[in-house]
Amino acid sequence: MGKGIQSVRGFSDVLPAESPLWQRAETVIRDTLESYAYREIRLPVVERTELFKRSIGEVTDIVEKEMYTFEDRNGDSLTLRPEGTAGCVRAGVEHGFLNRGEPRLWYMGPMFRHERPQRGRLRQFHQVGAEAFGVAAPELDVEMIAMTARMLGRLGLADDVRLEINSLGTPEARAVHRERLVAYLREHIDSLDDDSRRRLETNPLRIFDSKDAGVQAVMEGAPRLLDALDEESAAHFATVRNLLDRLGIEYTVNPALVRGLDYYTRTVFEWITDRLGAQGTVCAGGRFDGLVGQLGGRPTPAIGFALGLERLVALLAERAGSGEFDGAPHAYMVVGADPGEALRLAEALRDRLPGLRLEVHPGSAGFKGQLKRADRSGAAVALILGEEEVAAGRVAVKSLRGEGGQRAVARDDLPEVLAALLVETRRAD
Ligand code: ATP
Ligand code: MG
């Protein structure tokens, strides 16, 4: 056999056995976003390269080495979006809706970064993100954190994640802190790795993000931005902490939390898990009060977050174990001499029971083979519609799980029997 064509490294399939967990995550997240009055925006996957350079920052991992950038046939430099905030702000400025009310938006979809693929790190990955514009008050920061807490809680992950917060202050406060930080780092230059030495000149705050153990040790003693906040940012952060306490949301303040994108100001937060190895950040966000102005809009405060679906689904899969909803049909219809009659009955059942997952054997074949297929489908019951049953106005309902057994059910009673089955399996789902 010839060798088949393989998928591209870092671009993975979500197979049918995995998609039910994705769907559950997406449904819970969507419902939660809507319960906080966020509305969906659908954005293109490709944007002008300039957009990401200007928003994420030239001296960030993403822009320096992770973007999928290409020239299209017109010679324009385009990039597969590495994240959603830049495109969301671009759309808001372009269509002029950022200052109409205080828009609350969410999006979901694939993002692209050329990173080293490993567990929880892909080149095409998926984010759900939300952005709220026009409100500077710290109450919004806390409501957004509460919303992410609710999503994780509804998915049964409350015990798997912890919240870390920090404040990055204003760009002015950061500039003052930067000088002190650089002075400190120059004293410890021998303990810095190449990456950090380079960053020292370009973006020293980012060194807090280093994964190098030696660098991390140096950073323990570094001057902290949190101690150098401007007065307003300090007050803002104090209110955030206070309100989180009042809502009973637990957190730790991590002064080294700096995030990998340059546009953040004031509050930043991450939901972190210890269950996925090094790729521990499931959800991350913060304020970006300067970004709209930076991208040509009227200065507008904003806050957002992005949640990585691969990591979330990995957590759900760990929790799920066996007995988890797997998308199998509830019923499999075994067809006799009149396949048209089976299709007709199946349509009528779907009319009556919109939640029913029903698979009809396509065409006719021997009963034995069909029952084997029914069993393999994972269905709970087989609905057998042989010649005898058609003549008598009945359907044989054969249990495919547990005890087994088969009984004849009058056609009129079939919806009720299947409805009971739906209730039962829903409990198991
Ligand atoms: P990390 O430190 O893990 O690289 P990041 O700071 O680059 O994360 P963000 O850009 O803030 O992450 O993206 C938000 C979330 O998107 C992350 O917390 C993570 O859950 C997810 N994410 C980011 N990059 C990837 C990737 N390459 N593969 C899978 N998920 C990702
Ligand atoms: Mg990253």
Side-chain angles (χ1 to χ4, degrees):
M1 214 167 66
K3 203 161 170 250
I5 297 172
Q6 311 279 302
S7 64
V8 179
R9 188 165 133 83
F11 290 67
S12 75
D13 304 300
V14 175
L15 298 174
E18 301 153 359
S19 61
L21 275 187
W22 283 76
Q23 290 173 356
R24 199 175 106 208
E26 289 163 6
T27 302
V28 167
I29 290 168
R30 200 177 277 132
D31 290 350
T32 308
L33 286 159
E34 277 165 13
S35 75
Y36 287 78
Y38 282 73
R39 299 205 290 185
E40 187 182 12
I41 182 165
R42 298 194 180 196
L43 300 160
V45 165
V46 171
E47 299 274 2
R48 294 183 185 283
T49 303
E50 191 57 23
L51 174 68
F52 301 116
K53 288 194 176 168
R54 260 168 66 182
S55 55
I56 297 169
E58 298 260 9
V59 194
T60 55
D61 277 351
I62 295 179
V63 171
E64 278 185 336
K65 50 189 187 198
E66 295 174 359
M67 293 206 300
Y68 278 92
T69 295
F70 60 97
E71 247 184 42
D72 86 349
R73 289 169 192 274
N74 316 327
D76 297 328
S77 180
L78 305 180
T79 294
L80 299 186
R81 62 180 185 191
E83 56 102 58
T85 304
C88 191
V89 173
R90 192 266 312 140
V93 174
E94 184 171 339
H95 301 289
F97 62 70
L98 291 184
N99 305 107
R100 255 179 256 146
E102 285 88 38
R104 298 173 161 214
L105 307 171
W106 67 268
Y107 55 82
M108 195 182 295
M111 306 292 162
F112 305 85
R113 298 184 194 175
H114 196 277
E115 304 194 69
R116 195 167 69 78
Q118 51 198 292
R119 187 182 183 205
R121 194 176 291 291
L122 288 132
R123 292 181 171 173
Q124 173 176 328
F125 61 100
H126 297 78
Q127 286 184 340
V128 177
E131 328 281 1
F133 296 92
V135 178
E139 283 74 15
L140 185 68
D141 310 24
V142 173
E143 194 196 49
M144 180 165 272
I145 292 171
M147 177 167 76
T148 54
R150 184 175 297 277
M151 287 172 188
L152 295 163
R154 280 187 183 169
L155 286 165
L157 300 175
D159 294 337
D160 295 332
V161 290
R162 60 175 197 282
L163 174 64
E164 292 190 356
I165 63 171
N166 191 23
S167 175
L168 301 182
T170 58
E172 295 74 35
R174 278 212 291 282
V176 174
H177 168 257
R178 179 188 165 126
E179 306 223 331
R180 270 185 248 161
L181 180 61
V182 169
Y184 170 84
L185 289 171
R186 283 199 204 289
E187 283 166 30
H188 295 83
I189 191 107
D190 293 341
S191 315
L192 297 183
D193 61 355
D194 289 346
D195 222 25
S196 303
R197 281 184 203 178
R198 200 169 47 83
R199 293 243 141 105
L200 183 56
E201 308 301 331
T202 53
N203 201 341
L205 195 60
R206 194 90 317 125
I207 302 175
F208 276 107
D209 232 3
S210 171
K211 308 276 194 283
D212 181 274
V215 176
Q216 277 177 355
V218 173
M219 296 317 281
E220 299 256 323
R224 308 185 327 171
L225 179 53
L226 199 55
D227 301 326
L229 290 187
D230 54 293
E231 216 171 293
E232 265 184 65
S233 295
H236 186 103
F237 195 52
T239 307
V240 167
R241 297 183 56 173
N242 186 269
L243 290 171
L244 285 172
D245 292 339
R246 280 185 67 184
L247 293 188
I249 296 172
E250 283 175 34
Y251 61 87
T252 52
V253 175
N254 175 3
L257 185 66
V258 293
R259 310 289 307 113
L261 304 89
D262 277 352
Y263 52 61
Y264 285 112
T265 53
R266 293 201 169 153
T267 315
V268 289
F269 64 94
E270 286 192 3
W271 287 100
I272 300 167
T273 181
D274 296 324
R275 302 176 73 109
L276 299 178
Q279 273 56 251
T281 305
V282 177
C283 173
R287 269 200 173 274
F288 47 96
D289 292 339
L291 185 59
V292 177
Q294 208 175 304
L295 290 179
R298 192 194 315 161
T300 306
I303 182 167
F305 75 85
L307 181 151
L309 279 169
E310 278 77 7
R311 294 182 195 177
L312 186 77
V313 168
L315 281 179
L316 289 177
E318 276 210 358
R319 281 258 157 215
S322 63
E324 176 64 18
F325 169 60
D326 61 358
H330 297 110
Y332 189 103
M333 195 176 284
V334 172
V335 177
D338 188 356
E341 182 56 20
L343 282 182
R344 230 164 56 84
L345 174 61
E347 290 302 320
L349 288 171
R350 293 192 184 100
D351 285 342
R352 287 285 296 275
L353 300 165
L356 179 69
R357 296 192 297 273
L358 174 61
E359 184 171 340
V360 181
H361 184 88
S364 50
F367 276 123
K368 215 168 136 204
Q370 289 195 51
L371 279 169
K372 238 192 222 153
R373 293 260 291 257
D375 196 43
R376 247 185 294 148
S377 77
V381 296
L383 307 176
I384 303 170
L385 197 63
E387 249 163 283
E388 237 176 78
E389 283 83 10
V390 172
R394 285 200 291 263
V395 174
V397 178
K398 180 178 166 56
S399 173
L400 298 171
R401 310 275 156 250
E403 308 281 276
Q406 180 172 327
R407 60 189 167 134
V409 174
R411 278 231 199 159
D412 287 348
D413 298 336
L414 191 57
E416 206 176 310
V417 169
L418 291 175
L421 181 74
L422 282 186
V423 171
E424 229 170 84
T425 52
R426 203 162 290 145
R427 229 176 276 133
D429 287 355

